[in-house]
Amino acid sequence: MTTHTASSFAEPGNRRILLVEDEQTIADVVRDYLLKAGFQVDMAGDGFSALSVAASRRPDLVILDRMLPGLDGVEVCRRLRLTMSVPIIMVTALGTEDDRILGLEMGADDYVTKPFSPRELVLRVKSVLRRSVKEFAPEPPVEAAGLELDPGSRTVTHGGSHLALTVREFDLLAFLMRRPNQVFSREELIKAVWGWDFGDLSTVTVHVRRLREKIESNPTKPQLIKTVWGVGYRFDDTGGGHGKQ
Ligand code: CA
């Protein structure tokens, strides 16, 4: 995980975006918008250079086109996830829902669909970074059902072993753990955790599934994040077999 101090996040100029896009025209337009918004921007035009630039520049966020020469965006996402928890916004072509879901499965935090407005993309970037900055608010650690979540160090352990969660997975788990046994609809979660007023609700579904794979002893029979049919999800603080009761 990249580490930052709260003060470096407070200055927009210190936030470094890696823009991975092989279409030069789109890349130029998006870069200009990001620069205008006060970000530092690194560029990569294919999958392999995306990985090497990410490793050397340690960006605060990656905007990753799905269709790239060499290594495609989904594979780049998967490989980045092996070593970094940097937020990733995937850019997919219109109408390719499977691609988008695949991107989320591979660890992307958000996505935008082409053609997109650069202004909307910049808003997404800011929203994702705001979520990352929130970690530094002095929120106390929370402990339930064998899980220990510490917003300060942004770590989660389960039965003592460290869990590698992405930004959104962490935020989602933190949100649910702080409100044990309350049911939230996917609409409520997308608003509260993603900060979106609208959006594809399958984003929530995919993140819940990924979280379950990391925290549940049997992800097909979840004991911690329970599905309440027709309503949404709730965190069961007695679940998991590690609980107090
Ligand atoms: Ca492309």
Side-chain angles (χ1 to χ4, degrees), residues 144-145 147 173 176-177 180-182 224-225 233-237:
L147 287 169
L173 182 61
L176 291 170
M177 280 182 74
N181 307 313
Q182 288 182 55
L224 298 170
I225 301 179
Y233 303 102
R234 70 181 173 88
F235 183 82
D236 185 342
D237 64 356

Side-chain angles (χ1 to χ4, degrees), residues 142-162:
V142 50
E143 193 181 336
L147 287 169
E148 287 175 38
L149 182 142
D150 180 6
S153 62
R154 204 182 163 74
T155 52
V156 182
T157 58
H158 189 207
S161 38
H162 175 79

Side-chain angles (χ1 to χ4, degrees), residues 4 12-18 39-42 56-62 86 129:
H4 301 273
N14 285 343
R15 298 193 202 168
R16 187 176 290 285
I17 313 291
L18 169 56
F39 296 105
Q40 296 178 35
V41 184
D42 295 313
S56 61
R57 306 288 278 177
R58 310 300 294 183
D60 296 301
L61 184 142
V62 179
V86 60
L129 286 173

Side-chain angles (χ1 to χ4, degrees), residues 108-133:
D109 297 277
D110 279 331
Y111 64 85
V112 295
T113 306
K114 275 183 179 175
F116 57 85
S117 102
R119 192 179 314 187
E120 184 205 323
L121 179 59
V122 170
L123 289 175
R124 274 296 159 81
V125 167
K126 287 180 174 170
S127 153
V128 171
L129 286 173
R130 253 199 314 276
R131 309 299 307 185
S132 320
V133 172

Side-chain angles (χ1 to χ4, degrees), residues 109-110 127-128 131 166-172 193-194 207:
D109 297 277
D110 279 331
S127 153
V128 171
R131 309 299 307 185
T166 67
V167 172
R168 293 294 200 203
E169 289 166 359
F170 184 93
D171 290 342
L172 178 59
V193 177
W194 278 258
H207 278 77

Side-chain angles (χ1 to χ4, degrees), residues 64 66 73-74 77-78 81 88-92 97-112 124 166 168-169 190 194 196 200-211 213-214:
L64 181 58
R66 164 70 178 83
V74 171
C77 184
R78 194 186 69 78
R81 273 288 162 267
I88 298 172
I89 298 178
M90 191 78 106
V91 178
T92 67
E97 191 186 23
D98 288 351
D99 280 357
R100 198 177 62 228
I101 299 294
L102 188 59
L104 291 171
E105 298 271 16
M106 285 302 143
D109 297 277
D110 279 331
Y111 64 85
V112 295
R124 274 296 159 81
T166 67
R168 293 294 200 203
E169 289 166 359
I190 215 157
W194 278 258
W196 300 353
D200 188 333
L201 297 178
S202 61
T203 303
V204 178
T205 316
V206 169
H207 278 77
V208 166
R209 185 160 68 235
R210 277 185 0 213
L211 255 186
E213 281 162 10
K214 295 180 180 182

